Amino acid sequence: MTDRMKINKVAVLGSGVMGAQIAAHFANAGVHVLVFDLDQKIVDEGIAKSLKLKPDPYYDRDVVNKITTLNYSAHLERLGECDWIIEAIAEKLELKVDLYNRIIPHIKKNTILTSNTSGISISQLIKEMDKEISKRFFITHFFNPPRYMKLVEIVSSNITDLNHLKFLKDFIENKLGKGTVDAKDTPNFIANRIGVYGMMLTINEALNSNISIEDVDAVTGTLIGRPKSATFRTADIVGLDTMTYVAKTAYDKCVDDSERDIFKNPKFLDRMIKNGWLGQKTKQGFYKKSDEGIIQSIDFDTLEYKNVNKKRYESIRVARENIKFEDRIKVLAYFDDKISSFFWSIISKTLLYTSHCADSISDNIVSIDRAMRWGFGWELGPFEIWDIIGLEKSVKKMKTSGIKLPSWIDKMLESSNFSFYKIINKNTHYWCFKKNRYKPILQDDKNLTFNFYKKQNNLINKHWSASMIDLDDGILGVELHSVLKAELNPIDGSIIETLMNSLNWVKNNKYKGIVISGDGINFSAGANLNLILNAICKKDWDGIDMLIKSMQNALQNLRFIDFPIVSAPYGLVLGGGYETIGATDKIIAAAESYIGLVEVGVGLIPGAGGNLRMISNLTNKIKSIVPGSFSICQNAFETIGFAKVATSSNRAMKMGYLREHDRIVINRMHLLSEAKKEVISMSLDYKPPKNEMFKLPGSSGRLVLEGTLKGFVKSGKISEHDAKIGKKLAYVLTGGSKGGPFSPVDEKYLLDIEREAFLSLCGEQKTKERIEYMLRNGKPLRN
Ligand code: NAD
């Protein structure tokens, strides 16, 4: 890497589906981006369209001011300002080559040029390109939607300048927060080759074994650690035309592929495409919503839509008894009923196909697993899944249907090596198919995980839902890992107890401070509602009061202890999850954090300091000189009252969930190392915060809020019960009976009235109904 390499400005060529969203993500990262298209109308419309897309490609609407829209006829010379130019135009070799010829005279020395092609070979793209430029040309294949998918496949040629390549990979990882994977120059590269094979195979097998669309999706989604959209809904989202286009590329170009026929469309799929039933974008595909709003799925034979009707299968029932998806996969792989046989068929064939392709698409199995995790949202890649179902055991079962293993797996087994990954001397190793031996996965100091430290024997104490782990350098880690719902981490007694124990442990062992985080998908989706509902049913009001009080006390202890505590949230950070991080000195949040105080949705208000934190944060943010400023209170009232969830950490900063001194980290994998660094630096001259006093608007402000509530009820915007909750919330936020512009209240008072309000709402029948509904349906009831 040379000192001169830097990326201040980027150009994106093309403002279609990918171009506009890639530009949006540069803007998210704070990078100035020039977007070009054929004419000004097209490019302006392209960006305007991206502002309406769901899921939102932007962290926050304001970032769009980093994007400048331009066209090739009038503005080509502005390419000279750019350090990286990424082409994302239509997938046609001649068009891409023509455009390169047109732009190359305008780019400056050292500018990197890359293509977002999904499957065109780099050797063809650079065939007639100037040698000097082609050294700085490679493929950077982003996945759709680029804000959310972590994967960027990198395909280089044998003349690519390695300094430029390394520099750009670092930029993509550190500044854009993505994960890069090196792929070989083969059709569809890694993720689409394996992923689309898996989808086409699943469609074929479903057809052969006469399994309905909804039943296939039931067994190929979250049950086995894949996205909720599973197979057919994913195809509808991607678009049947796009999916089959990628499949056709493999069919046309992988002529020696023994599984080539799988990439051919079954007849019914051709008919659907001919009818224009392309999925979500045409409002019907494998699924459609009937006029009455009922979800229907298509019948492969008749092409008629019927209401979805999931069958009950014993294997799925047994699999569901397991909390971890890894255990569910094991159940399904070796069960004996119709759906598990189907599952076995798709999983075993996908694993075999991947192992046969491996050497031709990648240098190692680690890249293949990462590509599938980061590009297709699988929790585990194919070789990791294979380890779960057991290589030796599964091969025995596969051999009953006369399969052939690739020679590198034969060699593995001959040398009595039965797993693709293995921990040797505390480090994870993978099986190298080139050398036929295990090789270590190099540990990047930025990509720390609790799991890494556990492998180093650093576990201090494992409780049900949280663990204490030594993160070295005098830092203690508290890892959240709920025993009941690992993917949501509801705050329970075990988490609170571990947090309390960790405070003592740090004191006794003279450590520097604590990091609170986790390795999973979500930091915490809130309190354990089951626990609260149980107590409500038993009318155990003292029990609820104690529960809330112990959480308030624990979090206040955390806040005022004399060493630094940093929380590192990611994914969902709701209710009690937010109250936990809100009490810490500093929040180092993943950019993709969805933070919100959502208690109103279940008929409650925040009970463990949420209101207090919001008032405190907004007081510091708005910095009004008027005592008891109403706007602070009103702001908090609207955010909590409407259970507003920030759709990114940038938004959370604006809404007051995050504070000015908190920090956003774009790469989720860097979160733990950044949080650890922060504790080390804060510990040098740490002073705990002081107990705050708040001047709040008091009864006059409360009257205004109550008036607003009445108006909302009248206009049908909220229900009577919403108004009742709103009134309690207004009482707390305006300072209860003691608070006013000239009678400040302290933290303890606010916590007491918040707890009282919480408790009284627990006694409401409609609140009970809201909690029950949420637990049953996973969404709020507005009663
Ligand atoms: P798109 O059809 O949405 O947009 C194509 C863009 O190319 C449009 O802005 C169009 O104006 C422009 N264009 C068309 N002809 C042109 C020409 N002759 N010169 C200059 N510009 C021209 O396509 P997309 O889905 O955004 O795909 C763009 C690239 O990204 C393709 O290479 C595609 O394979 C790749 N890709 C797509 C996806 C996806 O999910 N859509 C995912 C990864 C990669």
Side-chain angles (χ1 to χ4, degrees):
M1 208 187 309
T2 69
D3 291 341
R4 273 176 298 144
M5 282 191 208
K6 59 177 179 357
I7 290 181
N8 290 332
K9 203 175 267 184
V10 170
V12 176
L13 311 181
S15 61
V17 174
M18 288 304 282
Q21 290 192 86
I22 291 171
H25 195 61
F26 280 117
N28 288 337
V31 180
H32 277 278
V33 52
L34 310 184
V35 186
F36 285 78
D37 215 315
L38 293 167
D39 64 41
Q40 199 60 34
K41 187 165 174 276
I42 296 180
V43 68
D44 287 340
E45 279 176 7
I47 297 303
K49 228 169 153 181
S50 72
L51 284 161
K52 293 192 192 121
L53 275 181
K54 273 194 180 149
D56 195 338
Y58 296 91
Y59 287 169
D60 187 58
R61 284 306 139 99
D62 287 359
V63 306
V64 84
N65 64 20
K66 295 258 179 231
I67 299 180
T68 308
T69 53
L70 302 168
N71 66 75
Y72 303 116
S73 318
H75 307 115
L76 271 184
E77 80 291 347
R78 294 207 53 190
L79 286 171
E81 299 166 20
C82 301
D83 306 299
W84 175 13
I85 299 173
I86 169 163
E87 168 272 306
I89 69 158
E91 184 76 344
K92 289 221 168 72
L93 177 64
E94 344 49 279
L95 300 186
K96 291 189 192 275
V97 170
D98 277 354
L99 186 63
Y100 300 157
N101 289 336
R102 199 168 166 198
I103 61 151
I104 282 173
H106 302 275
I107 69 179
K108 61 181 179 183
K109 197 169 171 262
N110 266 330
T111 293
I112 298 171
L113 178 60
T114 70
S115 172
N116 189 51
T117 177
S118 323
I120 301 177
S121 150
I122 187 168
S123 58
Q124 286 187 300
L125 290 170
I126 60 170
K127 206 167 174 186
E128 282 159 21
M129 196 181 276
D130 172 275
K131 270 274 159 330
E132 272 314 300
I133 306 275
S134 53
K135 283 185 192 163
R136 288 180 268 134
F137 179 91
F138 37 95
I139 291 169
T140 47
H141 181 215
F142 285 78
F143 277 65
N144 192 11
R147 168 181 163 187
Y148 300 92
M149 299 313 290
K150 191 172 177 67
L151 182 61
V152 179
E153 286 178 328
I154 305 277
V155 186
S156 53
S157 71
N158 52 11
I159 59 164
T160 304
D161 179 317
L162 297 182
N163 284 330
H164 282 88
L165 192 69
K166 162 133 190 18
F167 168 74
L168 202 70
K169 275 191 197 173
D170 284 349
F171 183 87
I172 292 172
E173 289 178 15
N174 296 323
K175 294 286 189 298
L176 300 181
K178 301 287 138 196
T180 62
V181 157
D182 289 314
K184 291 191 180 173
D185 193 15
T186 55
N188 293 343
F189 314 132
I190 299 176
N192 279 340
R193 175 77 169 274
I194 305 300
V196 173
Y197 170 82
M199 288 178 83
M200 296 301 281
L201 171 77
T202 306
I203 295 171
N204 272 288
E205 295 281 327
L207 200 60
N208 295 341
S209 27
N210 196 22
I211 294 189
S212 73
I213 283 179
E214 52 271 33
D215 286 341
V216 171
D217 277 358
V219 79
T220 57
T222 47
L223 189 73
I224 61 159
R226 302 255 173 105
K228 206 158 81 186
S229 51
T231 303
F232 288 105
R233 199 172 295 284
T234 300
D236 274 355
I237 294 168
V238 170
L240 271 47
D241 50 345
T242 308
M243 179 185 74
T244 53
Y245 179 83
V246 180
K248 186 173 178 310
T249 304
Y251 183 81
D252 291 345
K253 296 187 182 167
C254 301
V255 281
D256 297 328
D257 194 320
S258 60
E259 290 285 287
R260 188 178 173 218
D261 281 343
I262 291 291
F263 290 107
K264 225 160 125 184
N265 281 358
K267 280 205 180 72
F268 82 89
L269 195 51
D270 276 334
R271 281 172 61 202
M272 286 179 70
I273 293 172
K274 212 168 143 208
N275 289 349
W277 301 345
L278 305 179
Q280 214 172 53
K281 60 185 160 191
T282 59
K283 302 241 158 42
Q284 70 185 96
F286 289 117
Y287 291 97
K288 117 176 187 188
K289 221 182 218 175
S290 74
D291 295 340
E292 294 78 36
I294 297 168
I295 306 285
Q296 301 182 316
S297 66
I298 203 162
D299 182 294
F300 299 128
D301 295 326
T302 61
L303 289 199
E304 278 168 11
Y305 288 91
K306 289 183 301 197
N307 292 355
V308 299
N309 178 21
K310 276 188 209 157
K311 284 204 182 67
R312 285 175 196 276
Y313 289 102
E314 184 62 7
S315 58
I316 293 187
R317 192 191 61 75
V318 177
R320 280 218 178 97
E321 285 172 4
N322 293 279
I323 289 169
K324 291 189 177 162
F325 74 87
E326 293 94 326
D327 295 329
R328 300 195 287 257
I329 291 180
K330 270 191 265 183
V331 169
L332 289 168
Y334 299 110
F335 212 89
D336 189 18
D337 67 2
K338 188 174 167 181
I339 198 87
S340 57
S341 306
F342 164 79
F343 174 75
W344 171 255
S345 183
I346 54 169
I347 207 80
S348 58
K349 286 181 183 167
T350 306
L351 299 181
L352 277 171
Y353 182 69
T354 311
S355 63
H356 278 288
C357 290
D359 194 12
S360 70
I361 59 177
S362 174
D363 280 333
N364 56 66
I365 61 166
V366 183
S367 295
I368 298 176
D369 281 337
R370 285 185 181 156
M372 298 320 295
R373 275 195 267 122
W374 297 345
F376 271 70
W378 295 7
E379 292 269 347
L380 292 177
F383 296 102
E384 291 161 330
I385 293 176
W386 212 334
D387 276 351
I388 295 288
I389 62 171
L391 179 60
E392 217 184 355
K393 185 173 172 189
S394 62
V395 163
K396 220 181 249 170
K397 183 165 173 182
M398 286 176 191
K399 285 198 165 155
T400 57
S401 34
I403 57 98
K404 193 174 169 301
L405 289 168
S407 60
W408 65 271
I409 296 190
D410 277 333
K411 282 191 191 133
M412 234 181 117
L413 294 171
E414 277 160 23
S415 55
S416 301
N417 288 298
F418 302 116
S419 66
F420 294 100
Y421 293 91
K422 192 174 187 175
I423 295 178
I424 306 171
N425 295 332
K426 299 182 180 175
N427 285 318
T428 308
H429 287 58
Y430 68 96
W431 183 261
C432 172
F433 50 64
K434 289 178 188 289
K435 301 270 188 219
N436 293 313
R437 64 176 167 83
Y438 287 105
K439 282 175 94 177
I441 299 178
L442 298 178
Q443 176 65 37
D444 180 344
D445 284 348
K446 283 184 179 163
N447 296 341
L448 297 179
T449 57
F450 285 106
N451 204 20
F452 165 76
Y453 286 104
K454 282 189 266 188
K455 275 187 269 175
Q456 316 302 310
N457 294 335
N458 280 22
L459 180 69
I460 297 167
N461 183 277
K462 185 172 186 325
H463 211 284
W464 292 109
S465 295
S467 292
M468 281 160 44
I469 293 156
D470 191 336
L471 301 182
D472 296 337
D473 304 308
I475 309 298
L476 179 69
V478 174
E479 181 198 6
L480 309 190
H481 52 68
S482 161
V483 65
L484 287 176
K485 273 196 184 290
E487 68 286 8
L488 292 175
N489 274 338
I491 305 282
D492 59 14
S494 159
I495 291 177
I496 297 295
E497 197 177 322
T498 307
L499 284 173
M500 288 298 83
N501 290 341
S502 71
L503 299 183
N504 291 331
W505 197 93
V506 167
K507 273 204 148 159
N508 296 339
N509 292 280
K510 302 200 164 38
Y511 262 42
K512 294 188 177 88
I514 298 177
V515 173
I516 307 169
S517 193
D519 278 351
I521 310 168
N522 297 305
F523 179 81
S524 167
N528 186 338
L529 283 179
N530 267 314
L531 217 71
I532 296 174
L533 183 66
N534 273 341
I536 290 178
C537 292
K538 288 191 215 142
K539 298 198 182 338
D540 180 11
W541 314 124
D542 286 346
I544 299 178
D545 190 47
M546 272 204 2
L547 187 81
I548 305 304
K549 196 160 190 176
S550 71
M551 186 153 167
Q552 286 185 342
N553 289 344
L555 295 180
Q556 287 298 85
N557 282 346
L558 214 104
R559 178 154 177 72
F560 294 111
I561 198 104
D562 57 357
F563 52 78
I565 301 185
V566 168
S567 54
Y570 48 89
L572 293 178
V573 191
L574 305 177
Y578 173 68
E579 292 176 313
T580 305
I581 64 164
T584 60
D585 290 302
K586 196 160 196 159
I587 303 170
I588 305 289
E592 295 297 346
S593 297
Y594 314 112
I595 303 178
L597 286 168
V598 294
E599 285 82 351
V600 167
V602 288
L604 298 167
I605 67 163
N611 304 294
L612 163 64
R613 300 296 164 229
M614 211 53 191
I615 293 173
S616 164
N617 294 355
L618 291 172
T619 307
N620 291 322
K621 191 180 160 78
I622 297 176
K623 292 189 183 94
S624 165
I625 47 159
V626 185
S629 159
F630 181 67
S631 69
I632 292 170
C633 179
Q634 189 182 29
N635 233 303
F637 183 74
E638 282 170 8
T639 302
I640 303 172
F642 286 107
K644 286 185 187 166
V645 177
T647 48
S648 68
S649 282
N650 289 44
R651 290 281 310 139
M653 189 74 84
K654 276 200 170 157
M655 291 164 74
Y657 286 123
L658 296 182
R659 306 150 300 187
E660 248 167 45
H661 68 278
D662 293 328
R663 193 150 61 82
I664 300 171
V665 172
I666 196 163
N667 193 326
R668 161 73 178 94
M669 281 158 66
H670 298 171
L671 204 59
L672 193 56
S673 68
E674 288 297 322
K676 185 181 153 182
K677 263 195 246 163
E678 201 65 56
V679 177
I680 294 176
S681 116
M682 286 168 73
S683 68
L684 297 176
D685 57 352
Y686 184 74
K687 286 186 194 63
K690 292 204 167 55
N691 219 308
E692 286 178 272
M693 296 294 287
F694 299 95
K695 289 179 183 156
L696 298 165
S699 53
S700 58
R702 196 174 314 143
L703 277 176
V704 181
L705 295 178
E706 286 174 1
T708 315
L709 288 170
K710 273 190 197 138
F712 282 165
V713 174
K714 240 188 188 162
S715 63
K717 205 170 172 191
I718 63 171
S719 69
E720 289 284 353
H721 192 50
D722 285 326
K724 186 174 265 179
I725 303 163
K727 221 171 144 183
K728 302 252 178 209
L729 181 63
Y731 180 78
V732 175
L733 294 174
T734 50
S737 61
K738 285 194 188 158
F742 302 102
S743 44
V745 287
D746 62 8
E747 298 195 8
K748 184 175 175 309
Y749 177 71
L750 282 179
L751 289 171
D752 285 345
I753 57 174
E754 162 179 297
R755 198 173 67 251
E756 259 169 49
F758 184 96
L759 204 60
S760 72
L761 286 167
C762 283
E764 295 283 337
Q765 175 61 21
K766 289 205 163 158
T767 287
K768 182 169 169 260
E769 284 164 16
R770 282 192 184 191
I771 299 178
E772 283 166 343
Y773 189 89
M774 174 62 83
L775 285 169
R776 238 190 349 262
N777 305 297
K779 52 183 177 197
L781 167 75
R782 281 277 134 94
N783 53 357

